[in-house]
Amino acid sequence: MSADNAVDAAPAPDDEGRRRGLRRIDLRRLGRAALLGPGGREWGLPAGGRGQRVPDAIEHLAKVHRLRHPGVGAAGIETLRRAYLLAESSHRGQMRKSGEPYITHPLAVTLILAELGAETTTLTASLLHDTVEDTEVTLDQVREEFGEEVCYLVDGVTKLERVDYGAAAEPETFRKMLVATGSDVRVMSIKLADRLHNMRTLGVMRPDKQARIAKVTRDVLIPLAERLGVQALKSELEDLVFAILHPEEYARTRAMIRANSVRPDPLAAVADAVRAVLREAGIAAEVAIRPRHAVSVHRVLLKRGADELGGCEFGRILVLVGEDADCYAVLGELHTCFIPVIAEFKDFIAAPKFNLYQSLHTAVADEEGRIAEVLVRTRQMHRVAEAGVIALGNPHTVDEPPQAADGERVDPTQPGWLSRLLEWQRDAPDPDTFWTALRADLAQDREVTVFSAHGGDTTGTIRLPAGASCVDAAYALHGEAGHACVGARVNGRLAPLRSKLRDGDIVQILLDESGTSGPSADWLEHVRTPAARIAVTRWLELHPVPPADEEPAARAERPAYSADTAAEDEPVAVTDLAGAAVRLARCCTPVPPDEVTGFVIRGGTVAVHREECPTAVRMTGAGREPVPVRWRGGRPAGAGFRATLLAEALGRPRLLADLTEAIAGQGVGIVSASVEPPQEHRVRHTYTVELPDAEALPGLMRAMRSVPGVYDVYRAQRAMAAARR
């Protein structure tokens, strides 16, 4: 039996605020009914007989289920009865640490889901969710008795054994659940309800174990509840975690809520005024006061301070109407008859949140200056806002959902954020990396939507966590091909790769198709998505860069660059210094027939510079003795030469595209490219290019100068000399 389930029914945090639609159940009464009720005397009857009496222990469950789903027939209730009988008989003799029969746990979890409107298959799997993990029941038995769907859900929430996985059991269990959730979100619905009941009954655990479970709930389960839109579960989980991890602050917040509850509620007067306005306007609406839960009050307290909290901050006004159009009619009346606080207005109906949430948010002040927050939504929106994906029912009762043009799933029961999470988790090499990346991903609770572009045309949308950079967009768009990202345009202008993207930005990723570019270590400083971080980290591990201060002895262990070992894509220079390796300086990228000179650097290597290179001039001025070098006479066939060119131009649209096209037209490859920020409408592009031979350089420079707007092209050392001056 898992430690998470072997817990006591200890008192949960204060319940004075409504539990947002979740009814608390007398688990002790249910436990007695499970063992002693009239239904218990029927368990000896032949199994499978329809029309048998529903056991008392699930009578309430059946009533709630019929209330939420009036179309449920006798067959559905019979399925729940059989699932309950199997669960009770298989768990019989197992007790929770509090002494309660273990069957009270799956019963409570199932009742939570029933209150939220889960359909029959989910409730059946919930009753059985611990049987395979904690009893002799097998998945094959569940499949034979209840079908493939119930078997899949039970398997999805079954934990991996710590005996087999050791410390990796918890992260690998969550990985398994997420993969199962990718095919059926009901898996995570059952897990969330399971954790809620366990958190409600966490009393006899040691404080350190309570804290460990609460932290995992905070870091993983609560963000998943938020992303799946199950606000009713999320709110109570937040309060339970708050009570365990911050007991003093929780107690102070609850004391403030209790103190406010005995005073006249100023929101009541505002709500009455709202009812009167809507009644006079002929708009049929329900108006209610919605108390904030403890964590919500605490957040307001941190934002405004205790001295600024009035009665209106302890709740919000909820207006429920029948149709979408009525929401905007209500908004119009509120903003006409009250003083609107424009900064507080948000339209989540026209632009729903990524977790299915829809509502109009506003704040208004009445004649006495009392400011109240108001939520306006339809009854269906309210149902989805409370229960999220649980309210959407069985995702397998419809055909394969369509997809948007950018590949984002339209079906809200299989959201795009989940698809992206499943993509990067496959690349997480070990449980620790997966666990760390999962927590980091789920901690990013706000998304931005940007538009991808190619050749000036918008091609689709990308959803990224707030604070994501152009590098994140590159990997989101191109996967592993994002390694070749050399630049980006944001809203038509060249931008650094570290630039943070905002809602509505149009981003175009510029890739080096030569295959010679790759990520740099500083990309890790501004990536936010786990997919990008894992991809960059893996690339850097496969392409290590030797440290600059590496000892000469260590350098000597690697093959030295010399006339005999030079790669064929580099020009070859030689020196008369016996046994010395030769390396071409990157500051001036010399190519034949440039006049060159050399200097001995650390490790005995000779660095080759162009004679006019400012670095060479500076080294000579410092008294460094130059070493004669020359180009080797016969280079291998097909050998290439590299050079660095700078292009000065007037900034205009498509300049980068035209320059790269001109370079490609000369049969020259681009090794790397960078663009400096424009200054007074002027821009400077730097290209390191790979030439088929040195004689191609003048022709390439002429072709680049012919691009409209380009007024000069020159080798790298001119810019360096100008900077030196």
Side-chain angles (χ1 to χ4, degrees):
M1 190 182 306
S2 69
D4 286 0
N5 289 331
V7 293
D8 187 18
D14 207 328
D15 260 323
E16 292 176 11
R18 289 188 302 178
R19 285 294 182 194
R20 302 176 71 127
L22 291 183
R23 187 178 306 168
R24 296 301 297 275
I25 302 157
D26 186 348
L27 299 180
R28 296 182 185 276
R29 182 185 64 79
L30 286 174
R32 288 193 297 272
L35 296 179
L36 305 175
R41 290 193 292 270
E42 296 182 357
W43 294 336
L45 296 175
R50 289 185 179 276
Q52 295 184 54
R53 180 176 176 180
V54 174
D56 285 358
I58 63 166
E59 184 178 356
H60 180 67
L61 169 64
K63 289 179 180 178
V64 172
H65 189 37
R66 282 198 179 106
L67 180 65
R68 299 290 187 268
H69 296 274
V72 172
I77 300 302
E78 169 64 13
T79 300
L80 293 179
R81 187 191 73 83
R82 290 190 294 112
Y84 171 74
L85 293 180
L86 176 59
E88 195 284 328
S89 62
S90 60
H91 287 298
R92 191 175 298 169
Q94 294 179 351
M95 310 295 284
R96 308 190 94 203
K97 284 189 176 180
S98 61
E100 295 291 337
Y102 191 84
I103 189 62
T104 58
H105 171 67
L107 266 176
V109 172
T110 307
L111 280 164
I112 289 170
L113 291 168
E115 293 280 0
L116 291 171
E119 36 68 59
T120 306
T121 302
T122 304
L123 300 183
T124 303
S126 177
L127 283 169
L128 301 168
H129 79 272
D130 275 338
T131 55
V132 174
E133 181 180 329
D134 293 335
T135 76
E136 298 300 318
V137 175
T138 66
L139 284 173
D140 288 338
Q141 289 177 272
V142 174
R143 182 183 294 106
E144 181 179 351
E145 184 73 17
F146 298 98
E148 189 63 43
E149 279 189 42
V150 172
C151 178
Y152 184 86
L153 298 179
V154 172
D155 184 33
V157 295
T158 299
K159 294 183 179 69
L160 299 174
E161 292 293 338
R162 186 170 291 273
V163 173
D164 298 326
Y165 288 85
E170 186 171 39
E172 290 298 344
T173 293
F174 271 99
R175 193 199 295 255
K176 171 177 173 278
M177 286 183 191
L178 287 169
V179 171
T181 301
S183 298
D184 197 324
V185 292
R186 294 176 294 180
V187 171
M188 193 55 65
S189 301
I190 296 171
K191 177 60 182 177
L192 290 170
D194 173 65
R195 180 54 62 94
L196 175 58
H197 182 247
N198 285 332
M199 289 295 298
R200 282 177 176 175
T201 57
L202 207 58
V204 299
M205 289 286 189
R206 299 190 312 271
D208 61 319
K209 194 162 188 179
Q210 289 188 39
R212 183 188 67 78
I213 295 173
K215 287 176 181 176
V216 173
T217 303
R218 177 196 63 193
D219 296 344
V220 179
L221 273 304
I222 288 175
L224 283 171
E226 166 73 15
R227 292 192 177 204
L228 292 172
V230 194
Q231 295 296 323
L233 292 177
K234 171 181 174 280
S235 299
E236 187 172 353
L237 283 172
E238 284 184 327
D239 282 359
L240 292 165
V241 168
F242 187 30
I244 292 172
L245 298 183
H246 305 283
E248 293 181 0
E249 293 179 48
Y250 175 80
R252 187 161 50 249
T253 303
R254 292 302 309 174
M256 293 179 63
I257 293 174
R258 284 193 292 270
N260 180 73
S261 66
V262 300
R263 296 192 292 263
D265 188 356
L267 274 179
V270 181
D272 288 340
V274 170
R275 290 189 190 96
V277 166
L278 299 182
R279 186 166 52 246
E280 186 176 340
I283 301 174
E286 298 176 39
V287 180
I289 297 174
R290 186 179 182 83
R292 291 183 184 272
H293 61 106
V295 169
S296 181
V297 172
H298 183 66
R299 287 172 182 153
V300 175
L301 179 66
L302 293 177
K303 182 179 178 181
R304 301 185 183 178
D307 295 339
E308 297 184 29
L309 283 189
C312 290
E313 281 76 17
F314 288 88
R316 292 181 287 189
I317 294 175
L318 174 65
V319 181
L320 298 180
V321 295
E323 304 291 338
D324 290 13
D326 295 335
C327 294
Y328 292 97
V330 169
L331 182 70
E333 293 297 326
L334 292 176
H335 284 193
T336 300
C337 300
F338 298 91
I339 301 172
V341 182
I342 301 301
E344 297 294 327
F345 173 67
K346 297 181 181 68
D347 187 346
F348 294 120
I349 295 178
K353 289 186 178 182
F354 66 92
N355 62 359
L356 316 178
Y357 179 84
Q358 288 185 288
S359 281
L360 295 177
H361 288 206
T362 190
V364 295
D366 65 2
E367 294 178 349
E368 298 185 18
R370 292 172 296 205
I371 298 176
E373 293 184 41
V374 184
L375 311 177
V376 185
R377 59 178 71 141
T378 66
R379 292 174 182 84
Q380 173 61 18
M381 290 176 192
H382 180 61
R383 180 167 167 257
V384 174
E386 289 291 282
V389 294
I390 298 175
L392 301 176
N394 186 349
H396 300 294
T397 57
V398 296
D399 296 331
E400 179 69 16
Q403 291 193 346
D406 61 346
E408 185 84 3
R409 296 186 69 92
V410 175
D411 178 15
T413 66
Q414 299 205 7
W417 65 262
L418 179 56
S419 300
R420 292 191 296 275
L421 188 152
L422 293 174
E423 287 174 7
W424 70 251
Q425 71 84 22
R426 283 193 292 267
D427 296 327
D430 57 76
D432 289 340
T433 299
F434 164 75
W435 199 229
T436 302
L438 176 65
R439 292 183 180 213
D441 192 359
L442 294 176
Q444 299 161 357
D445 58 357
R446 194 171 68 83
E447 284 191 340
V448 296
T449 300
V450 300
F451 300 92
S452 60
H454 180 73
D457 298 324
T458 302
T459 58
T461 60
I462 323 168
R463 288 178 175 84
L464 297 168
S469 67
C470 296
V471 174
D472 293 301
Y475 284 99
L477 281 169
H478 302 290
E480 293 289 324
H483 293 329
C485 176
V486 293
R489 285 181 177 275
V490 178
N491 301 324
R493 303 189 61 145
L494 289 165
L497 291 177
R498 65 178 179 275
S499 300
K500 292 184 179 180
L501 299 172
R502 297 175 294 180
D503 259 326
D505 280 348
I506 300 173
V507 59
Q508 179 181 358
I509 301 300
L510 308 175
L511 301 177
D512 173 17
E513 297 181 358
S514 70
T516 58
S517 298
S520 63
D522 61 356
W523 285 15
L524 293 173
E525 297 178 6
H526 46 261
V527 295
R528 294 292 300 275
T529 58
R533 181 170 296 278
I534 290 172
V536 172
T537 301
R538 186 168 55 242
W539 193 94
L540 293 173
E541 289 173 351
L542 294 174
H543 302 80
V545 177
D549 59 349
E550 187 177 12
E551 291 299 323
R555 290 180 179 268
E557 294 176 0
R558 299 195 314 271
Y561 181 97
S562 68
D564 296 325
T565 62
E568 292 190 356
D569 62 349
E570 293 281 6
V572 178
V574 295
T575 178
D576 295 332
L577 194 62
V582 176
R583 181 172 65 82
L584 302 183
R586 294 187 179 274
C587 57
C588 57
T589 57
V591 298
D594 293 338
E595 296 295 330
V596 291
T597 186
F599 295 89
V600 178
I601 58 175
R602 291 187 65 179
T605 301
V606 174
V608 179
H609 294 263
R610 297 169 64 191
E611 285 191 345
E612 63 268 33
C613 173
T615 301
V617 173
R618 186 168 58 252
M619 293 171 78
T620 302
R624 298 282 293 275
E625 185 68 27
V627 175
V629 291
R630 63 184 183 279
W631 297 112
R632 189 170 65 179
R635 64 180 183 276
F641 300 135
R642 290 186 180 182
T644 300
L645 301 177
L646 289 93
E648 300 275 2
L650 297 173
R652 64 171 178 82
R654 292 191 55 82
L655 174 61
L656 181 62
D658 290 345
L659 272 168
T660 54
E661 184 177 348
I663 294 171
Q666 297 296 307
V668 174
I670 300 176
V671 177
S672 65
S674 64
V675 181
E676 297 179 15
Q679 294 183 354
E680 298 180 355
H681 303 289
R682 293 181 300 174
V683 65
R684 181 161 63 190
H685 293 207
T686 302
Y687 298 91
T688 298
V689 296
E690 190 166 312
L691 305 161
D693 53 62
E695 288 74 17
L697 186 57
L700 172 62
M701 297 174 70
R702 285 194 298 271
M704 294 174 66
R705 289 192 185 100
S706 68
V707 172
V710 177
Y711 56 84
D712 198 6
V713 176
Y714 49 88
R715 298 283 296 280
Q717 79 280 358
R718 272 182 51 185
M720 295 168 59
R724 182 168 173 266
R725 290 194 298 269

